[in-house]
Amino acid sequence: MTGPSNPIENPTPHPALKPPSKPRGLTRDQMAWRVAKDIPGGSYVNLGIGMPELVALHLPQGKEGDNRQIVFHSENGILGMGPPPPQGEEDFDLISAGKKPATVIPGSAFFDSADSFAMIRGGHIDIAVLGAFQVSESGDLANWTTGGVPAVGGAMDLAQGARQVFVITNHTTKKGEPKIVKECTYPLTGAGVVTTVFTDLAVIDIHKDGPVVREIANGLSFDDLQALTGATLTLDADCKALSAPAF
């Protein structure tokens, strides 16, 4: 017969002794919404593959109360790319650079890759939204390989050619390792190219003196954020709470 459990072996911690729970950060959709909020009207924007593609779902495209005009560029040769098509209405002769079905808006244009990359390299793309494995305190970007098979695609051209580079990424890896670091340990996509990093926990602008926290998640102290970051952060004097609507 099994006796009662020993309360000494299975203690119930006093509530005051429990470690503080980590505040829940933004979801992927909320992060994309927050990026979209910082894209001004009249911008020509290229969205990288993966999480950056979600940003298109949170930009105007006729949404009531938002009259910004945003033009999407896709490096396979589209200017004026529209939202993803409804399921069942896909045209697989019309795809994005990520090889996903796409649509186009009235007035859009098609061209070859040479012209497309001339637009990128010529500095005609206002904002590139890219994912990242690492971002350094000086704005270096590593997002194309962690040491496996190289597949850089157009990321290097976008990182160097776009007027601004927005990075959207979780603040840490699944193992809890920081993605914003003093120096990148992965091969670089571009040196000193990142303008702003949007994570699930903060919005961080990269200044010449290092990363500056512009917004921080509710319930997360600056010291807690710093503990999750591999680079030295500075708190903006006008730092606000990071928030987003529920999706």
Side-chain angles (χ1 to χ4, degrees), residues 149-212:
V149 178
V152 67
M156 285 185 177
D157 297 273
L158 287 165
Q160 294 293 337
R163 295 174 182 174
Q164 295 187 77
V165 175
F166 289 176
V167 165
I168 179 172
T169 183
N170 288 323
H171 204 87
T172 62
T173 67
K174 292 180 179 179
K175 295 181 179 179
E177 299 166 342
K179 287 191 168 188
I180 302 172
V181 295
K182 185 172 180 60
E183 293 183 3
C184 294
T185 56
Y186 295 137
L188 293 187
T189 308
V193 296
V194 176
T195 310
T196 303
V197 184
F198 298 82
T199 80
D200 52 331
L201 299 179
V203 176
I204 301 172
D205 295 317
I206 305 297
H207 293 194
K208 63 179 181 180
D209 296 326
V212 178

Side-chain angles (χ1 to χ4, degrees), residues 1-243:
M1 178 181 295
T2 303
S5 60
N6 189 331
I8 297 176
E9 295 175 358
N10 300 283
T12 300
H14 188 279
L17 300 178
K18 290 183 179 180
S21 59
K22 179 182 174 182
R24 181 184 176 187
L26 301 187
T27 66
R28 289 165 61 93
D29 268 310
Q30 288 174 321
M31 291 164 65
W33 175 90
R34 182 61 194 83
V35 173
K37 188 178 175 184
D38 269 22
I39 298 177
S43 297
Y44 290 88
V45 179
N46 183 289
L47 302 177
I49 296 170
M51 206 187 314
E53 293 175 301
L54 297 175
V55 174
L57 303 177
H58 301 284
L59 279 167
Q61 304 292 356
K63 290 181 180 177
E64 186 177 351
D66 192 337
N67 59 4
R68 287 178 294 166
Q69 298 296 313
I70 310 294
V71 179
F72 288 114
H73 168 272
S74 183
E75 59 261 41
N76 61 325
I78 304 173
L79 193 63
M81 189 168 66
Q87 189 171 2
E89 298 181 20
E90 300 91 343
D91 177 357
F92 287 94
D93 288 327
L94 178 57
I95 59 172
S96 68
K99 300 181 179 62
K100 296 178 182 178
T103 63
V104 292
I105 61 173
S108 60
F110 300 97
F111 34 84
D112 63 20
S113 289
D115 287 337
S116 182
F117 278 85
M119 293 177 188
I120 296 170
R121 295 168 183 169
H124 303 292
I125 303 302
D126 295 303
I127 298 172
V129 182
L130 303 173
F133 296 128
Q134 291 177 328
V135 176
S136 80
E137 63 183 10
S138 60
D140 298 342
L141 172 65
N143 81 340
W144 67 279
T145 183
T146 57
V149 178
V152 67
M156 285 185 177
D157 297 273
L158 287 165
Q160 294 293 337
R163 295 174 182 174
Q164 295 187 77
V165 175
F166 289 176
V167 165
I168 179 172
T169 183
N170 288 323
H171 204 87
T172 62
T173 67
K174 292 180 179 179
K175 295 181 179 179
E177 299 166 342
K179 287 191 168 188
I180 302 172
V181 295
K182 185 172 180 60
E183 293 183 3
C184 294
T185 56
Y186 295 137
L188 293 187
T189 308
V193 296
V194 176
T195 310
T196 303
V197 184
F198 298 82
T199 80
D200 52 331
L201 299 179
V203 176
I204 301 172
D205 295 317
I206 305 297
H207 293 194
K208 63 179 181 180
D209 296 326
V212 178
V213 181
R214 182 174 13 130
E215 296 181 12
I216 188 169
N218 280 314
L220 185 69
S221 72
F222 177 73
D223 288 342
D224 288 339
L225 182 68
Q226 180 62 77
L228 296 168
T229 308
T232 301
L233 302 173
T234 300
L235 189 65
D236 189 277
D238 193 32
C239 184
K240 296 178 171 59
L242 174 63
S243 61

